[in-house]
């Protein structure tokens, strides 16, 4: 059984939501965040990326960064463009990107259900990132950003969301990247909360580090209200995954290409920048795309059958000695939303690199790996569209 809880959100006013809302902290670099927030003092990036308000070059782990984030959230909460709701509510959140549309339930989920495995993960977390988000949560006394979860479709939940969307929305705006964000408040939150008890499990899509940080804050501090954290829960059928591509530094590209050619995996006649099916990878080297067809793994794990795992087993490990994709400095990960043109540009501008364009991991693969309590290789999934931060904030301990 999955628990969804209503909460009294700190939120922007309806007319300022577009200017406040920002991309999540972990999908952009600090220079990109500075650029996005330039000239916009309302941007929520000042809360989740507060280093943009401090001198260039400051460490994101500096004490001043955490203090600035807490200060900026207090300023937002006391400003004219924010509202602190008095009544707990559950929300519906719709994302539209081109022809794709998905609608999720926005509420609180339990840190205990996360730790007990009813909210399933598919990736490991990195201690420095967990510590970073833990400190932001602790110093702000708030979960400033929601995580993105998915659940197996339930018609009762979907029907309630559809009915909620017939009302006037709380927020409705098109962000600068063309994605439309619309949020409604449920007038009868309890019906949705009751319906969600028939959802047996939740699966993490985006936000593994925020989940772990939320648990750590509750486990260490036991502050009232920190035992639940915000999430948007989407039906599996509405959720899409894009590829997560790789750029690799290779010391001897000519030898690497010759070794691949000798392996029988390289198909010289095909030159598409994006693979067309599972088991194929597109390789960009010396200005040309080539197709690689991966063997089936004889390893026994569910996650071992993923293309990103087979890339490691059959190419990165034997030919390049890359044994851990999570830590090897020769790998740069590039989200699929940036496209294959981005891969070409980066390879052309960085000597000694090649690019791998991946076939996207499927939702069924993610569920199978999670249900088996296994973990995927790092950066196996890129979910799109991304949630906007700063729309509904969970404050606690006050």
């Amino acid at each position: 059984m999955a628990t969804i809880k209503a909460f009294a959100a700190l939120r922007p006013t309806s007319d300022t939501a577009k200017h406040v809302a920002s991309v999540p902290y972990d999908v952009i670099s600090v220079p990109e965040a500075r650029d996005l927030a330039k000239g916009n003092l309302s941007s929520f990036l000042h809360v989740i990326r507060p280093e943009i308000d401090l001198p260039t070059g400051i460490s994101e782990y500096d004490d001043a960064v955490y203090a600035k984030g807490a200060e900026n959230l207090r300023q937002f909460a006391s400003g004219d463009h924010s509202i602190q709701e008095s009544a707990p509510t559950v929300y519906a959140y719709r994302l539209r990107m081109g022809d794709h549309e998905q609608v999720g339930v926005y509420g609180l989920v339990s840190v205990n259900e996360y730790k007990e495995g009813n909210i399933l993960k598919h990736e490991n977390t990195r201690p420095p990132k967990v510590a970073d988000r833990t400190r932001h949560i602790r110093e702000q006394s708030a979960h400033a950003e929601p995580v993105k979860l998915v659940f197996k479709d339930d018609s009762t939940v979907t029907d309630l969301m559809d009915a909620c969307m017939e009302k006037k929305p709380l927020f409705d705006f098109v962000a600068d990247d063309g994605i439309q964000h619309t949020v409604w408040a449920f007038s009868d939150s309890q019906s949705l909360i009751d319906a969600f008890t028939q959802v047996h499990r939740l699966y993490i899509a985006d936000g593994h580090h925020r989940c772990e940080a939320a648990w750590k804050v509750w486990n260490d501090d036991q502050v009232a209200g920190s035992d639940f954290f915000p999430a948007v829960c989407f039906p599996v059928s509405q959720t899409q995954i894009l590829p997560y591509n790789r750029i690799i530094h290779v010391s001897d590209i000519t030898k690497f290409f010759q070794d691949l050619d000798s392996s029988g995996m390289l198909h010289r006649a095909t030159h598409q920048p994006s693979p067309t099916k599972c088991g194929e990878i597109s390789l960009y080297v010396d200005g040309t795309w080539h197709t690689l067809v991966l063997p089936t793994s004889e390893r026994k794990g569910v996650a071992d059958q993923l293309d990103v795992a087979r890339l490691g087993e059959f190419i990165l490990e034997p030919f390049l000695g890359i044994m851990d994709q999570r830590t090897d400095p020769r790998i740069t990960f590039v989200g699929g939303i940036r496209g294959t043109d981005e891969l070409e540009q980066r390879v052309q501008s960085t000597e000694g690199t090649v690019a791998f364009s991946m076939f996207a991991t499927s939702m069924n693969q993610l569920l199978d790996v999670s249900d088996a309590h296994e973990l995927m290789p790092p950066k196996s999934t890129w979910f799109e569209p991304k949630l906007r931060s700063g729309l509904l904030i969970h404050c606690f301990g006050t």
Side-chain angles (χ1 to χ4, degrees):
M1 182 183 80
T3 303
I4 289 286
K5 184 178 179 181
F7 70 110
L10 171 65
R11 65 171 180 87
T13 58
S14 298
D15 59 333
T16 61
K18 178 177 180 178
H19 305 290
V20 172
S22 76
V23 295
Y25 85 97
D26 55 349
V27 302
I28 53 172
S29 65
V30 175
E32 289 172 328
R34 289 183 189 274
D35 186 59
L36 285 173
K38 187 176 181 180
N40 180 10
L41 296 178
S42 300
S43 172
F44 206 65
L45 288 171
H46 295 286
V47 174
I48 59 174
R49 277 291 198 178
E51 52 267 46
I52 66 176
D53 294 329
L54 297 169
T56 301
I58 190 170
S59 167
E60 61 187 295
Y61 307 119
D62 193 284
D63 290 349
V65 173
Y66 301 104
K68 189 64 176 177
E71 176 189 342
N72 288 345
L73 181 59
R74 289 193 297 268
Q75 289 179 348
F76 170 76
S78 62
D80 295 334
H81 52 275
S82 69
I83 295 171
Q84 175 61 63
E85 296 285 10
S86 57
T89 309
V90 177
Y91 304 86
Y93 183 177
R94 184 182 69 197
L95 299 161
R96 280 181 173 166
M97 184 178 74
D99 295 332
H100 175 78
E101 178 179 304
Q102 60 188 73
V103 185
V105 175
Y106 199 143
L108 302 184
V109 296
S110 166
V111 295
N112 286 321
E113 289 185 13
Y114 162 72
K115 202 61 180 178
E116 291 167 1
N118 203 43
I119 299 174
L120 290 173
K121 61 183 180 179
H122 64 264
E123 286 184 0
N124 269 322
T125 53
R126 294 171 54 204
K129 287 188 68 176
V130 172
D132 172 56
R133 288 302 112 181
T134 298
R135 190 165 176 191
H136 276 294
I137 294 169
R138 182 173 285 134
E139 297 209 13
Q140 294 176 8
S141 294
H143 298 113
E145 298 183 275
V147 301
K148 188 174 188 175
L149 307 179
V150 297
F151 62 94
K152 294 179 181 178
D153 290 44
D154 181 279
S155 59
T156 302
V157 173
T158 302
D159 289 346
L160 288 169
M161 287 195 294
D162 289 343
C164 180
M165 290 188 294
E166 294 177 0
K167 299 170 49 183
K168 181 180 179 180
L170 192 64
F171 307 128
D172 187 17
F173 62 90
V174 177
D176 292 341
D177 57 6
I179 298 172
Q180 183 179 9
H181 302 261
T182 313
V183 175
W184 295 263
F186 277 89
S187 55
D188 180 12
S189 295
Q190 192 59 47
S191 294
L192 190 282
I193 292 169
D194 291 343
F196 232 84
T197 62
Q198 301 306 306
V199 174
H200 297 295
R201 284 179 169 178
L202 297 171
Y203 301 82
I204 302 173
D206 275 340
H208 284 79
H209 291 90
R210 277 163 277 173
C211 290
E212 188 68 17
W215 157 254
K216 185 167 178 55
V217 169
W218 166 248
N219 186 60
D220 292 352
D221 301 346
Q222 300 284 300
V223 175
S226 66
D227 54 336
F228 281 79
F229 61 101
V232 188
C233 308
F234 293 95
V236 165
S237 65
Q238 296 184 23
T239 311
Q240 67 175 0
I241 303 176
L242 300 185
Y244 219 137
N245 301 316
R246 278 96 164 113
I247 292 175
I248 313 289
H249 283 262
V250 179
S251 58
D252 190 335
I253 290 179
T254 300
K255 182 179 184 305
F256 174 60
F257 189 77
Q258 290 173 346
D259 289 344
L260 284 179
D261 196 19
S262 300
S263 72
M265 291 184 287
L266 185 66
H267 290 226
R268 287 179 174 272
T270 51
H271 304 288
Q272 70 266 19
S274 298
T276 59
K277 60 184 179 181
C278 185
E280 286 185 357
I281 295 176
S282 292
L283 167 69
Y284 186 69
V285 56
D286 289 337
T288 304
W289 286 101
H290 304 273
T291 295
L292 292 163
V293 178
L294 298 170
T296 301
S297 177
E298 295 185 0
R299 297 175 180 176
K300 302 302 182 183
V302 177
D304 291 325
Q305 308 310 315
L306 301 175
D307 282 3
V308 287
R310 292 155 70 188
L311 169 69
E313 179 181 356
F314 295 110
I315 297 176
L316 302 185
E317 294 174 16
F319 296 123
L320 297 175
I322 296 175
M323 309 306 292
D324 188 346
Q325 295 187 54
R326 185 176 305 279
T327 60
D328 198 293
R330 289 171 286 178
I331 301 182
T332 301
F333 300 98
V334 182
I337 192 65
R338 296 180 183 264
T340 55
D341 287 348
E342 173 84 3
L343 298 179
E344 294 180 10
Q345 291 170 9
R346 292 200 187 191
V347 169
Q348 290 165 4
S349 63
T350 308
E351 186 176 354
T353 58
V354 301
F356 291 100
S357 173
M358 308 297 297
F359 190 76
T361 302
S362 71
M363 281 302 308
N364 284 337
Q365 288 176 316
L366 183 147
L367 298 184
D368 289 344
V369 170
S370 299
D371 285 337
H373 300 284
E374 294 184 15
L375 300 174
M376 294 183 180
K379 309 300 183 185
S380 296
T381 57
W382 180 278
F383 284 87
E384 200 69 43
K386 298 292 184 185
L387 304 174
R388 286 272 155 163
S389 298
L391 294 177
L392 299 165
I393 303 145
H394 176 233
C395 301
F396 58 86
T398 57

